[in-house]
Amino acid sequence: MTRAIVLTHGGVGSDPDLKDGCELAARVGLKLMMEGAGALEAVVAAACALEDDGRFNAGSGSSLRLDGKTIEMDAAVMDSSGRLGAVAAIEGVKNPILVAREVIDTPHVLLCGQGAREFARKRGFKEFSWVSPRAKARYEEIKVAISRGDLPGWKDFDLKGNWNFQVQYSEVFPSDTIGAVAIDPKGNLAVANSTGGASPMLKGRVGDSCLIGCGFYAGPSGAVATTGIGEEIIKRTLAKLVYDRIAGGMPVPEACQDLLTIFPKDIPIGIIAISSRYEYGVAANREMAWAVLEG
Ligand code: ASP
């Protein structure tokens, strides 16, 4: 009989060949639960492994903002008992998911920007700045796509007029995230999310990944993580919609698949979910690396 499950993803649009990174992360989480840890610790450890992988858009692999210098990350963790911690637009830390975990032990649920960074320092997280080769390459691609007008939503946007970086606009001119859901042998459920955002991004932009009910949700019936264009996910409160379907008794694969259809096809979206019935589901309208392990 299945006692525990960890399901991980590497972001909608991620190369399925990166499955090994998702598997490693799931293994880290499952091992912890087999040793007695709960689902919350398991998803945090799994998300941490994915942040450290460097091939995903989270932690060490996070995308650059439009100035080619700034990295701002969002992360969140929640479990079925209602423990919730999140950080938004945090800079200068290696593992935003660990800072999100620390937020659980405060009276707040979400810290952002400079305050989140200073909180991390107080909690002993060292300054970290690293731009991965992946992020540099992605940045070059994005600059080209923007100048060609290839990006829906950015085509008619006055980027120059809205530029909010220190580096000058004239000096500059060229999506995937990670997530984990788990259930432990006691039936506790948890979700963890972490992202460098969805390029292209202005400074200060916050996506769905750290917003409850949008990029993630966990409750007694299940745990859900979503990936894709954050603005579209936020407008539809996607994670809560999936959760409510699961809570209403819909099979998990069907709930994930069903909610994909509320998005136009040109919006990349991915969903992973797990239920208190020890069922899991994965749905994406693009390629997506993911892995599941049961113990
Ligand atoms: N949802 C993330 C964001 O919009 C990006 C992603 O999932 O790839 O920040």
Side-chain angles (χ1 to χ4, degrees), residues 5-293:
I5 307 175
V6 186
L7 171 60
T8 56
H9 75 75
V12 67
S14 58
D15 186 340
D17 285 348
L18 304 185
K19 187 180 177 68
D20 62 308
C22 297
E23 272 169 359
L24 176 87
R27 207 171 308 128
V28 168
L30 187 63
K31 183 166 179 288
L32 276 179
M33 289 199 286
M34 292 294 101
E35 289 167 358
L40 184 87
E41 286 90 328
V43 290
V44 168
C48 210
L50 288 160
E51 285 180 339
D52 289 343
D53 185 297
R55 295 174 297 168
F56 301 107
N57 177 18
S60 303
S62 291
S63 293
L64 288 158
R65 303 264 155 163
L66 277 161
D67 61 346
K69 293 184 180 149
T70 308
I71 288 183
E72 294 175 324
M73 300 163 287
D74 300 336
V77 57
M78 182 179 188
D79 77 1
S80 43
S81 71
R83 286 189 292 173
L84 167 61
V87 288
I90 189 169
E91 296 181 68
V93 295
K94 183 165 182 277
N95 292 108
I97 194 66
L98 295 181
V99 186
R101 168 67 190 83
E102 294 286 317
V103 173
I104 290 180
D105 301 327
T106 74
H108 304 302
V109 294
L110 173 62
L111 293 180
C112 79
Q114 191 57 20
R117 185 181 192 158
E118 284 162 18
F119 169 76
R121 294 284 101 78
K122 288 277 178 199
R123 291 280 170 146
F125 293 94
K126 295 201 168 55
E127 184 69 28
F128 181 79
S129 71
W130 156 255
V131 181
S132 67
R134 176 201 167 282
K136 285 183 191 146
R138 172 86 180 127
Y139 179 66
E140 293 308 322
E141 282 169 24
I142 283 291
K143 276 206 287 188
V144 172
I146 284 185
S147 35
R148 280 197 196 137
D150 285 351
L151 288 178
W154 286 79
K155 207 164 153 221
D156 304 317
F157 177 64
D158 176 14
L159 181 58
K160 192 172 178 183
N162 287 278
W163 194 250
N164 59 356
F165 298 100
Q166 280 186 353
V167 63
Q168 295 302 304
Y169 176 83
S170 55
E171 287 175 46
V172 171
F173 278 30
S175 148
D176 16 309
T177 290
I178 63 94
V181 289
I183 182 162
D184 66 26
K186 292 187 182 140
N188 301 305
L189 291 129
V191 54
N193 259 353
S194 186
T195 184
S199 300
M201 287 168 288
L202 289 172
K203 190 169 167 65
R205 180 265 185 189
V206 171
D208 61 299
S209 306
C210 62
L211 299 182
I212 183 171
C214 303
F216 69 93
Y217 197 80
S221 304
V224 182
T226 73
T227 166
I229 304 300
E231 286 71 9
E232 301 294 332
I233 292 172
I234 292 166
K235 284 181 206 163
R236 294 168 176 85
T237 61
L238 177 60
K240 186 62 163 55
L241 291 183
V242 177
Y243 178 85
D244 286 346
R245 293 242 194 324
I246 293 170
M250 188 181 270
V252 184
E254 202 179 313
C256 296
Q257 204 56 48
D258 202 35
L259 268 311
L260 261 194
T261 61
I262 66 171
F263 292 87
K265 290 209 168 43
D266 62 338
I267 310 288
I269 297 293
I271 305 165
I272 63 171
I274 215 158
S275 77
S276 55
R277 306 181 293 267
Y278 284 78
E279 277 181 297
Y280 69 87
V282 178
N285 58 13
R286 300 285 189 284
E287 289 188 321
M288 183 169 88
W290 63 276
V292 64
L293 286 179

